[in-house]
Amino acid sequence: MTTKGVTEEMDSKENEKPMLILKDIHKFYGSNEVLKGVSLEVRRGELVTFVGPSGCGKTTLLRLIGGFTDISSGDIILDGQRINDLPPNLRDTRICFQNYALFPHMTVAENVGYGLKINKWPKDKIAARVRELLEMVELEAFGDRMIDKLSGGQQQRVAFARALSLEPKVLLLDEPLSNLDANLRLVMREEIRKLQERLHITTVFVTHDQFEAMAISDRLVVMKDGLIEQVGTPIEIYERPANEFIAAFVGYVNFMDGRVESIDPATKNTVIRTEFGKLEIALEQDDIQTGDDVLMVIRPESVSLSIDCGSNRQNVLCGTLKTYMYAGSIAKCTVGIGAKKMIVDQYNPRDAQQFQNADRVEVEIPRSVHLLKKKI
Amino acid sequence: MAAAELSVKLQSSSGSKVKDFLNANLINILAAFLFLLLAFFLLYPIIMVLIKSFQGPSGFTLQYYQAFFSKNYYYQSLYNTLLLGVINTVVCLVIGFCLAYMTTRGPWILRKPLKIISLVPLIAPPYLFALSLIILFGRNGLVTRMFDLHWELYGFSGVVISQTLAFIPLAYMMIESTLMSLNPNLEESAYDMGASEATILRTITIPLLAPGLLKAALLIFVMTIAEFGNAAILGGRTPFLAPDTYTMITGESDFNMGSVLSVVLIAPCILIFFIHNYLLEGKKFTTIGGKPVASEPRKITPLIKVPFVIITTVAAGAIFVCFAVVFVASFYKILGVTHDIVLSNYLDFTSNQAIYNSIRVSFVAAIIGAVIGVLLAYVIVRGKFFGRTFIEMVSLSGFALPGTVLGIGYLLAFSAPPLKLTGGIMILALNCVFRFLAVGVEAGISKLHQIHIEIEEASADLGASFLTTFHKIVLPIMFPAFIAGFIYTFMTAIVSLSAVVFLVSPGFDLAAVKIFDAAVYGEIGIASATTMKLVLIVMICMMILNYISSKTRLGSSMKKTVAV
Ligand SMILES: Nc1ncnc2c1ncn2[C@@H]1O[C@H](COP(=O)(O)OP(=O)(O)O)[C@@H](O)[C@H]1O
Ligand SMILES: [Mg+2]
């Protein structure tokens, strides 16, 4: 039943077995195919985030794992057991709905203790466990409050405590932070992450917010139209996106067309011909050959900006500064290069004064640039 | 649009004095006028009933109340009425809950058909069920003859059954709307934490539904104890207050006793009206976020599913059979006795005359009702005068009043000067106007909440007079509410029986009264055919109403009130 404590004693083999396996899951609503073959393994204690634009099927996927909706085909395996046909009340998963779904006719403590009561825990044990959970989410003083007398953040914590009360094998969180205001969202996501790591609880997190997803997850699963586009750590997804969609989805990006002219086999020094001349980068991937048409993924913060044109350094392009928006810790600039525009983020912009009046500027493309191979 | 243009000019104008004057006075004058109407046509008749119950040949007396409380017969009548109310309410709530649960939680394929059948009785006058029970189980009834079954239809159980069938839609609609507004994630969360279906019902669904259920219960109780037709047709030797009042007036011409019976009947209604208004105010559970969504079907456990399916099937089947039986019976002189298919029931002159009269009365009632409804809604929403909530309460109270009481009240109030109306069409029409005012008012209020007061103020600032503003801006926006109020009043008035049965004059029959008489005298064919005509008329009205509310987004609040 419980995973906490047991986990530590488990031998390493047992530990490597994934907690949750999704095998080629399809879901139809009528003739509308909402999930088009989703496969994934979630490791024990891992926090995996499904991220994707609204309507891509994230909530549906969580509801399938939780058992609220039948899958059309595929398998769900929880801790080695196929659970396709188990109703939610017999599955060892716990879902936290986007709107928290706290019971409005119960107090905070009754909400948190609901699952314990349903599972016939003795009264004194319930009380002790509820106290422990409320302490964990720092609401020990609020046990007797009614739900509607709590702030949004407090309600979020109650929902979280309630979901953890029975120590589920997998915790399912559906956009848990979307009802909070921006500052609270940052605080809460840190708290959730801390607790999740401390309790070592396997978690599937769903959000449409790519920054939240990157900040909180061990691994990200980027979804689009019912399909998984890429699975990877936040760094992998951000720095080595599999395609244009992902590159653009996880942050702002400048794309630049080019053709690989040469790759030095020893140093991996690579020359790319673009419409603005030759650029030299250090190739970090093996799927690119000489002669490939590629798309360079240039992040705004990796480009550096300097005043004056005409230095003949490598990887430097000359352009006109179209906009320069100073915002303290960052300045967001648009530079026109030829007929194209490039977005440049300047962090810690010390010489902002200079740029505000500048016209011609130089941008320096970094040597580490991710390349997307164009499909022919 | 116009609003934007107007508000642009808002600052440049300086007509606020005119606006203040008009807003402060014209609307108050209108309100005062409307209040006088309400007082005269709604409060005055009721007060007359109250006075009559205390007024002996030599002034104030308690002798009629003493008579009431000393006679076993009256006790029995009161007891039967209250018991009927309680049984009916409980049965209707249970059936309504099962139906609503299936149409909001059950399998997709069942939702639509069940919903339609649950709502079908809305197109029928309530006494259709009494009629169909007579056709099936009466002395010459189909079932009675075919199976040689001798169940005594006339009496308590007959009334309970017909009333239950008649009030299923009301129960269903009220419960369904509360179930729909319940966030399905709540039940799912309980399910997720290991609760079984029965546990979810007991710990989550029913506690959260409780305020809504209580509200529905109070309303159904009031409406069933006040319902006249079924009890009068099927009551037999079992006394009930509403039909007793009728016999007291028409049979014995004893207005004093009739008034006492009315007061006894109205007391629980008023009590409940206040409970309803004050106890339940703000007693609603709110939850954050999330739009109301249709629950996905759950795998309902057999333990719940089997009884629910049995109850819903029996109820839906009974409703269907009742309609079918009346339809078939309309083509026979007396179904089960005569065997020729005839059209004579439909061609019957007195029946058609009665339908024609009903249409005339309802039409007049509908026009007056819609106008007063819209105006009342306007002063209730926009007025700032003292007693605004009182006006609102009075204008919404009509449907909680037993029709019989308002019937006697009109007889007492308007059969002598200052205003003698008896014998004409106006007394019938006005009675319907003030009984069914609530929905016109509600439709108007919901529509007015969509108009921003700024539009009117801007218009007034531009120098438009109050009347111009009302005419050019308010009326066009309110037009759908007016039409809805019109049609609703029309279709409610045309089937209503309990009040007009006191007010019709000999030689001027209304369809409802004609059906009542025909059913009582065993002219089953005529009664059925006339009922079918009414059903057809109401159906057409419903279709127009649906069309309008889909075109103008009159809002679901309107649909809810239409149910009432
Ligand atoms: N109960 C349902 N019936 C029919 N279609 C649904 C249902 N639930 C979701 N969908 C459809 O499935 C798609 C994915 O929805 P959802 O999983 O809620 O997306 P997300 O959570 O990623 O925003 C949407 O196009 C939605 O319209
Ligand atoms: Mg979603």
Side-chain angles (χ1 to χ4, degrees):
Chain A
M1 275 284 282
T2 55
T3 52
K4 201 179 104 185
V6 180
T7 329
E8 287 130 69
E9 294 153 31
M10 256 189 294
D11 58 351
S12 60
K13 224 181 201 173
E14 190 61 11
N15 248 331
E16 281 162 21
K17 223 175 65 186
M19 180 59 101
L20 177 71
I21 307 175
L22 307 177
K23 275 193 190 156
D24 194 29
I25 290 184
H26 290 258
K27 172 67 189 175
F28 287 86
Y29 278 118
S31 62
N32 177 16
E33 189 172 14
V34 177
L35 295 174
K36 302 168 181 166
V38 172
S39 300
L40 185 74
E41 296 192 353
V42 182
R43 295 190 279 267
R44 279 159 207 279
E46 188 182 28
L47 193 157
V48 170
T49 298
F50 282 87
V51 61
S54 165
C56 70
K58 305 179 299 286
T59 299
T60 306
L61 193 61
L62 277 198
R63 292 179 59 85
L64 290 173
I65 301 171
F68 301 104
T69 310
D70 288 331
I71 55 179
S72 305
S73 71
D75 280 318
I76 306 175
I77 291 155
L78 178 69
D79 201 10
Q81 191 199 356
R82 184 174 169 278
I83 56 165
N84 288 24
D85 304 319
L86 281 186
N89 54 346
L90 302 180
R91 288 189 188 195
D92 209 353
T93 58
R94 201 75 62 239
I95 195 165
C96 239
F97 290 105
Q98 192 170 359
N99 53 43
Y100 316 148
L102 296 173
F103 306 131
H105 58 305
M106 298 181 190
T107 62
V108 168
E110 284 166 345
N111 263 281
V112 174
Y114 182 84
L116 307 172
K117 206 170 152 191
I118 291 297
N119 285 275
K120 309 230 158 55
W121 281 39
K123 271 216 168 82
D124 49 334
K125 276 201 168 174
I126 294 182
R129 175 78 177 135
V130 167
R131 209 173 316 123
E132 182 191 350
L133 287 160
L134 289 181
E135 259 165 41
M136 186 180 79
V137 295
E138 292 166 16
L139 284 175
E140 53 273 49
F142 294 85
D144 294 331
R145 289 257 186 122
M146 292 307 277
I147 295 303
D148 58 354
K149 299 285 186 297
L150 297 181
S151 71
Q154 291 168 333
Q155 293 183 342
Q156 165 66 70
R157 288 160 205 252
V158 176
F160 199 62
R162 186 178 71 176
L164 290 174
S165 61
L166 283 165
E167 303 188 331
K169 285 184 173 158
V170 174
L171 181 63
L172 309 168
L173 303 174
D174 190 0
E175 312 224 6
L177 308 174
S178 63
N179 285 321
L180 306 177
D181 57 36
N183 289 334
L184 199 52
R185 210 176 302 163
L186 297 184
V187 176
M188 281 306 297
R189 87 178 177 208
E190 262 176 50
E191 282 189 23
I192 289 183
R193 177 58 163 167
K194 256 193 273 171
L195 273 174
Q196 184 270 334
E197 283 185 318
R198 202 180 92 204
L199 302 175
H200 198 68
I201 184 163
T202 314
T203 303
V204 179
F205 191 99
V206 154
T207 179
H208 65 268
D209 181 336
Q210 60 275 29
F211 304 110
E212 186 174 296
M214 284 195 283
I216 204 172
S217 320
D218 292 311
R219 283 194 299 156
L220 254 70
V221 181
V222 183
M223 283 184 72
K224 185 188 166 197
D225 292 340
L227 275 174
I228 292 183
E229 294 275 317
Q230 189 177 1
V231 182
T233 64
I235 297 176
E236 284 167 350
I237 300 278
Y238 189 76
E239 297 191 347
R240 296 191 286 286
N243 56 41
E244 271 184 81
F245 165 76
I246 298 170
F249 183 72
V250 293
Y252 200 86
V253 66
N254 300 293
F255 289 118
M256 197 184 281
D257 291 310
R259 168 170 289 177
V260 181
E261 272 208 349
S262 66
I263 305 175
D264 183 323
T267 59
K268 289 285 175 190
N269 237 4
T270 302
V271 179
I272 298 168
R273 168 168 297 284
T274 72
E275 58 179 304
F276 310 110
K278 288 181 184 176
L279 298 175
E280 212 180 283
I281 66 160
L283 193 64
E284 287 164 2
Q285 52 203 120
D286 343 312
D287 58 334
I288 302 290
Q289 266 95 48
T290 308
D292 282 349
D293 282 320
V294 294
L295 207 56
M296 302 174 71
V297 177
I298 305 168
R299 297 285 177 196
E301 71 278 7
S302 68
V303 179
S304 49
L305 195 68
S306 51
I307 232 130
D308 296 333
C309 260
S311 67
N312 260 331
R313 286 185 291 132
Q314 188 64 49
N315 280 12
V316 166
L317 305 174
C318 196
T320 48
L321 188 58
K322 301 261 187 200
T323 58
Y324 188 89
M325 280 166 60
Y326 177 80
S329 64
I330 183 176
K332 291 205 164 270
C333 332
T334 330
V335 182
I337 302 171
K340 295 267 173 65
K341 272 188 197 154
M342 183 171 282
I343 306 289
V344 179
D345 286 353
Q346 234 190 345
Y347 283 91
N348 198 8
R350 301 235 153 164
D351 35 10
Q353 203 81 49
Q354 244 183 301
F355 283 103
Q356 274 171 341
N357 304 315
D359 176 33
R360 305 287 293 168
V361 287
E362 272 182 359
V363 294
E364 184 178 349
I365 310 295
R367 276 180 54 81
S368 72
V369 162
H370 184 68
L371 300 180
L372 295 174
K373 197 166 162 174
K374 278 206 194 162
K375 300 199 177 70
I376 314 134
Chain B
M1 302 174 303
E5 282 169 35
L6 286 173
S7 49
V8 170
K9 297 182 190 166
L10 192 75
Q11 278 126 340
S12 64
S13 64
S14 61
S16 75
K17 261 187 203 159
V18 184
K19 182 194 78 179
D20 286 351
F21 176 79
L22 290 168
N23 270 356
N25 293 286
L26 246 171
I27 198 170
N28 291 349
I29 295 166
L30 183 61
F33 173 69
L34 291 170
F35 181 72
L36 279 182
L37 283 181
L38 282 177
F40 196 64
F41 288 107
L42 203 53
L43 298 180
Y44 170 58
I46 295 168
I47 292 168
M48 286 300 283
V49 174
L50 201 59
I51 290 175
K52 196 73 187 172
S53 71
F54 289 110
Q55 190 185 47
S58 52
F60 179 85
T61 172
L62 283 175
Q63 72 180 92
Y64 305 112
Y65 284 95
Q66 270 163 2
F68 181 90
F69 287 108
S70 57
K71 260 202 191 164
N72 202 24
Y73 177 86
Y74 292 128
Y75 268 125
Q76 198 58 45
S77 181
L78 177 61
Y79 174 77
N80 287 341
T81 305
L82 294 180
L83 187 66
L84 172 72
V86 171
I87 293 179
N88 237 295
T89 306
V90 172
V91 176
C92 277
L93 282 188
V94 170
I95 295 178
F97 183 80
C98 291
L99 283 168
Y101 197 79
M102 292 308 274
T103 63
T104 55
R105 305 282 186 276
W108 288 111
I109 45 158
L110 281 185
R111 292 191 189 187
K112 194 91 193 189
L114 266 185
K115 182 168 181 153
I116 291 172
I117 295 191
S118 315
L119 294 179
V120 149
L122 281 180
I123 62 169
Y127 37 81
L128 176 139
F129 295 100
L131 183 59
S132 54
L133 287 184
I134 291 179
I135 298 169
L136 289 170
F137 301 104
R139 291 185 189 113
N140 284 316
L142 288 181
V143 177
T144 314
R145 289 170 146 240
M146 227 183 282
F147 301 100
D148 199 30
L149 179 91
H150 289 284
W151 169 50
E152 182 50 46
L153 169 68
Y154 295 91
F156 196 81
S157 51
V159 178
V160 167
I161 291 174
S162 59
Q163 290 275 71
T164 300
L165 292 172
F167 285 99
I168 282 176
L170 180 61
Y172 169 74
M173 286 181 87
M174 296 191 68
I175 296 172
E176 193 230 24
S177 83
T178 44
L179 261 177
M180 286 288 267
S181 64
L182 201 66
N183 176 357
N185 290 157
L186 292 173
E187 288 160 68
E188 285 174 346
S189 285
Y191 201 15
D192 194 46
M193 279 182 281
S196 66
E197 183 92 14
T199 311
I200 300 173
L201 265 178
R202 183 172 52 79
T203 57
I204 308 292
T205 318
I206 294 187
L208 285 176
L209 234 52
L213 287 177
L214 184 58
K215 223 172 148 166
L218 293 178
L219 196 67
I220 293 168
F221 182 80
V222 166
M223 310 245 328
T224 47
I225 64 171
E227 208 348 87
F228 167 78
N230 288 314
I233 295 172
L234 293 181
R237 288 180 195 287
T238 314
F240 293 96
L241 282 179
D244 282 355
T245 319
Y246 176 69
T247 25
M248 196 60 72
I249 301 291
T250 52
E252 305 178 19
S253 290
D254 186 342
F255 277 86
N256 294 107
M257 254 351 260
S259 297
V260 170
L261 290 178
S262 296
V263 173
V264 174
L265 184 59
I266 209 178
C269 297
I270 290 178
L271 192 70
I272 279 172
F273 185 71
F274 279 103
I275 295 177
H276 183 275
N277 266 332
Y278 290 98
L279 274 193
L280 288 177
E281 197 69 17
K283 182 109 178 87
K284 221 190 233 169
F285 295 115
T286 45
T287 40
I288 7 94
K291 42 209 175 300
V293 278
S295 302
E296 277 188 60
R298 269 209 295 271
K299 291 192 200 76
I300 303 177
T301 54
L303 208 69
I304 304 275
K305 197 191 226 163
V306 170
F308 272 43
V309 165
I310 290 174
I311 290 174
T312 46
T313 321
V314 168
I319 289 171
F320 178 77
V321 166
C322 286
F323 270 81
V325 148
V326 173
F327 179 71
V328 173
S330 70
F331 294 104
Y332 292 87
K333 189 130 191 65
I334 297 173
L335 180 62
V337 178
T338 63
H339 297 287
D340 303 322
I341 295 184
V342 291
L343 279 179
S344 60
N345 298 324
Y346 282 96
L347 301 174
D348 182 80
F349 176 75
T350 53
S351 155
N352 284 332
Q353 186 68 39
I355 290 271
Y356 173 66
N357 290 341
S358 279
I359 292 178
R360 266 180 19 187
V361 167
S362 309
F363 191 82
V364 174
I367 287 195
I368 303 175
V371 170
I372 297 183
V374 166
L375 291 177
L376 264 174
Y378 188 77
V379 301
I380 287 169
V381 174
R382 292 287 187 259
K384 296 181 184 72
F385 51 88
F386 174 78
R388 203 170 51 97
T389 41
F390 181 70
I391 288 201
E392 179 172 7
M393 227 178 66
V394 172
S395 57
L396 296 182
S397 70
F399 68 85
L401 286 175
T404 46
V405 177
L406 216 54
I408 300 181
Y410 268 52
L411 269 188
L412 291 171
F414 304 122
S415 50
L419 192 60
K420 185 166 171 2
L421 289 172
T422 36
I425 183 175
M426 272 324 272
I427 193 168
L428 296 166
L430 284 172
N431 182 278
C432 291
V433 167
F434 287 91
R435 262 189 83 199
F436 306 127
L437 204 50
V439 166
V441 174
E442 292 243 333
I445 289 177
S446 80
K447 199 73 201 165
L448 266 173
H449 280 308
Q450 296 169 18
I451 318 174
H452 282 289
I453 183 103
E454 286 84 24
I455 302 178
E456 288 168 47
E457 284 177 351
S459 160
D461 272 345
L462 288 173
S465 73
F466 171 80
L467 284 179
T468 316
T469 307
F470 192 81
H471 171 69
K472 286 256 159 70
I473 303 213
V474 180
L475 274 191
I477 302 178
M478 299 279 285
F479 192 66
F482 173 84
I483 296 288
F486 175 86
I487 293 173
Y488 173 78
T489 313
F490 183 83
M491 67 189 202
T492 317
I494 208 166
V495 299
S496 87
L497 172 66
S498 54
V500 292
V501 79
F502 292 89
L503 302 173
V504 286
S505 44
F508 189 87
D509 240 351
L510 291 179
V513 181
K514 175 78 192 167
I515 296 169
F516 174 66
D517 288 340
V520 170
Y521 294 118
E523 297 170 11
I524 297 303
I526 301 271
S528 300
T530 316
T531 306
M532 288 319 292
K533 288 176 200 163
L534 286 187
V535 166
L536 186 70
I537 293 173
V538 174
M539 229 157 78
I540 293 170
C541 292
M542 286 276 200
M543 275 152 62
I544 300 175
L545 205 57
N546 258 344
Y547 177 77
I548 293 176
S549 56
S550 70
K551 279 278 160 196
T552 62
R553 296 180 297 133
L554 205 60
S556 48
S557 68
M558 179 61 201
K559 274 194 197 139
K560 258 178 251 161
T561 31
V562 167
V564 176

